[in-house]
Amino acid sequence: MTATTIASTPVRQSQLRPAIAELQPHLVEWRRHLHAQPELAFQEYLTAEFISRKLKKWGIEHQTGIAKTGIVAIIDSGVPGPVLGIRADMDALPIQEENQASYRSQNPGKMHACGHDGHTTIALATAFYLSQNRHSFKGIVKIIFQPAEEGPGGAKPMIEAGVLKNPDVDAMIGLHLWNVLPLGTVGVRSGALMAATEGFRCTIFGKGGHGAMPHQTVDSILIASQIVTSLQTIVARNVSPLDSAVVTVGEFHAGTAVNVIADTAKIGGTVRYFNPALRDMLPQRLEQIISGICSSHGAKYDLNYWRLYPPVVNDAKMADLVRSVAETVVETPAGIVPECQTMGGEDMSFFLEEVPGCYFFLGSANLSMNLAYPHHHPRFDFDETALGMGVEIFVRCVEKFCI
Ligand code: NI
């Protein structure tokens, strides 16, 4: 089916669900089209072209090429009122898809393994619906199609390019399809939802030598090993037990032969936390431990620490808005899951640092259809019924916020 076959007569609010049911085959078609042509961070050219073509066809004002491939669509009700931003990410991952579905990735080594094809589809359909029903809200809805969520991050350059200005965005919402939760549930909470994501790499410079003569060396592997174990004391002994944080060493490279004491060792890892008050303490403790252990053994070190994304922190009022809307969509309070925090990161956080908002998880797993593989897995896929639910939540949020 083509977009032109979509009913273009405006519908009343009470008719929202039938209207979305009518859209559902298109949602599936668009999502599968995007799924088959995944593009990596800041290379979402065909994806952006697909979005822009549709927006143009529907007469929706939009700007392309923001932060390389980003798009902002403006849907103006024509009546003064608030400005709500809706954000969708567009990028895929460098993963070889193992699914055999007809819509599987046609790009070797690239895959929509996180559901961003679904996010783009939901936002696109929301834009379509709102453009056809401008009487159903006041003010303006800005739909932000963002590149590179998987890193290095497209949210920040889009904000720097001014997407939250002119007209100024009052609040933001966004969603992630979530295979951690079953279809028919929504993970929503106020406060911290996703963790700050930071990383480090450290080279320890010892003094290499013969494996039989350790007294003549400074063993970089032994020192790095002590550092790895001691780093765990940061979470165990410096972070309040009521706060969540995790330090993971995911890289350890050293040595070339069994009978040689290694001159240098390299370790690298990630640091994650919810509470912004931990922001300075964690890297400080990390360096104190590395520096203290190195100096006690006569080694030197070179530490590189970087901050990727801040924590995703939801505004209480906006979380209430999303929760109340989601309750009507899932039709049971039991379908709302407040215990949905994850130590994963998301650059939606940059938007939520600028304006109040709510990021939430839309349950998309369906075990009976074998659609429950975790995100970033080569067999990840989700129940496409969630697409329509996403559109309904976004539209109802607009109708409730933009009054
Ligand atoms: Ni994702």
Side-chain angles (χ1 to χ4, degrees):
M1 268 187 279
T2 63
T4 47
T5 61
I6 297 173
S8 58
T9 37
V11 289
R12 284 195 306 275
Q13 186 173 351
S14 58
Q15 294 174 313
L16 172 60
R17 197 163 288 177
I20 290 172
E22 203 175 313
L23 273 176
Q24 182 67 20
H26 299 279
L27 294 177
V28 170
E29 180 202 323
W30 302 340
R31 182 264 162 161
R32 292 184 179 187
H33 172 81
L34 294 170
H35 190 86
Q37 55 153 46
E39 297 174 294
L40 300 182
F42 291 123
Q43 296 165 26
E44 306 92 338
Y45 294 106
L46 293 175
T47 306
E49 209 181 287
F50 177 79
I51 296 166
S52 178
R53 212 168 41 233
K54 294 254 182 262
L55 295 173
K56 214 173 282 172
K57 187 178 279 180
W58 301 332
I60 298 175
E61 175 194 348
H62 64 285
Q63 212 186 324
T64 59
I66 305 171
K68 261 193 180 168
T69 51
I71 296 179
V72 175
I74 302 248
I75 301 140
D76 192 338
S77 67
V79 180
V83 181
L84 182 65
I86 295 177
R87 176 270 207 169
D89 43 8
M90 311 187 286
D91 58 321
L93 284 152
I95 293 173
Q96 178 63 43
E97 176 154 12
E98 288 177 10
N99 289 318
Q100 292 306 315
S102 59
Y103 51 89
R104 67 185 176 272
S105 169
Q106 299 302 305
N107 297 343
K110 298 175 191 171
M111 178 188 175
H112 268 295
C114 200
H116 301 186
D117 48 347
H119 305 167
T120 300
T121 300
I122 292 169
L124 204 47
T126 303
F128 171 76
Y129 180 90
L130 292 173
S131 71
Q132 298 290 312
N133 294 276
R134 292 178 197 251
H135 62 280
S136 69
F137 64 99
K138 290 181 180 159
I140 292 170
V141 176
K142 256 191 192 181
I143 303 203
I144 297 170
F145 296 92
Q146 179 212 301
E149 186 283 319
E150 300 289 357
K156 209 172 181 195
M158 282 197 97
I159 294 167
E160 284 163 1
V163 298
L164 293 176
K165 302 271 164 229
N166 190 34
D168 293 2
V169 172
D170 295 307
M172 288 277 297
I173 52 172
L175 66 77
H176 207 302
L177 290 159
W178 209 231
N179 269 13
V180 180
L181 296 174
L183 182 76
T185 62
V186 175
V188 55
R189 60 177 292 123
S190 66
L193 177 78
M194 300 180 80
T197 312
E198 307 184 348
F200 67 94
R201 281 205 173 87
C202 182
T203 305
I204 292 109
F205 301 98
K207 186 177 164 216
H210 198 295
M213 301 163 201
H215 55 294
Q216 295 175 351
T217 73
V218 175
D219 186 348
S220 65
I221 291 182
L222 189 66
I223 296 164
S225 302
Q226 284 186 17
I227 291 171
V228 171
T229 50
S230 297
L231 288 180
Q232 292 309 317
T233 66
I234 300 175
V235 174
R237 286 298 174 266
N238 303 125
V239 174
S240 159
L242 300 177
D243 263 337
S244 295
V246 63
V247 176
T248 291
V249 175
E251 293 179 356
F252 194 131
H253 304 290
T256 53
V258 293
N259 59 353
V260 174
I261 287 175
D263 202 43
T264 60
K266 294 181 181 199
I267 58 170
T270 54
V271 175
R272 297 161 189 273
Y273 56 93
F274 289 128
N275 184 351
L278 299 176
R279 183 181 155 91
D280 293 330
M281 185 274 275
L282 292 171
Q284 274 166 18
R285 280 299 295 143
L286 184 118
E287 179 148 26
Q288 279 168 358
I289 286 169
I290 291 171
S291 151
I293 291 175
C294 281
S295 78
S296 73
H297 291 282
K300 289 195 163 55
Y301 69 92
D302 180 34
L303 174 64
N304 178 21
Y305 192 96
W306 63 88
R307 301 186 192 274
L308 194 57
Y309 302 154
V312 174
V313 181
N314 285 337
D315 174 74
K317 273 190 190 152
M318 290 304 292
D320 278 348
L321 175 95
V322 170
R323 190 183 303 109
S324 64
V325 160
E327 272 170 9
T328 66
V329 174
V330 299
E331 289 175 341
T332 157
I336 305 299
V337 186
E339 301 82 13
C340 56
Q341 283 174 302
T342 165
M343 299 308 284
E346 243 291 341
D347 70 349
M348 178 72 180
S349 51
F350 288 112
F351 289 112
L352 299 183
E353 279 191 336
E354 299 293 321
V355 293
C358 179
Y359 193 60
F360 60 96
F361 295 128
L362 181 58
S364 55
N366 188 333
L367 255 180
S368 66
M369 291 171 71
N370 200 23
L371 298 171
Y373 280 94
H375 294 258
H376 295 205
H377 189 283
R379 295 191 65 188
F380 173 82
D381 201 353
F382 61 86
D383 190 328
E384 290 164 325
T385 315
L387 297 170
M389 294 176 68
V391 178
E392 188 175 341
I393 295 176
F394 276 165
V395 169
R396 287 191 191 277
C397 281
V398 168
E399 290 175 349
K400 208 160 178 182
F401 183 83
C402 296
I403 49 172

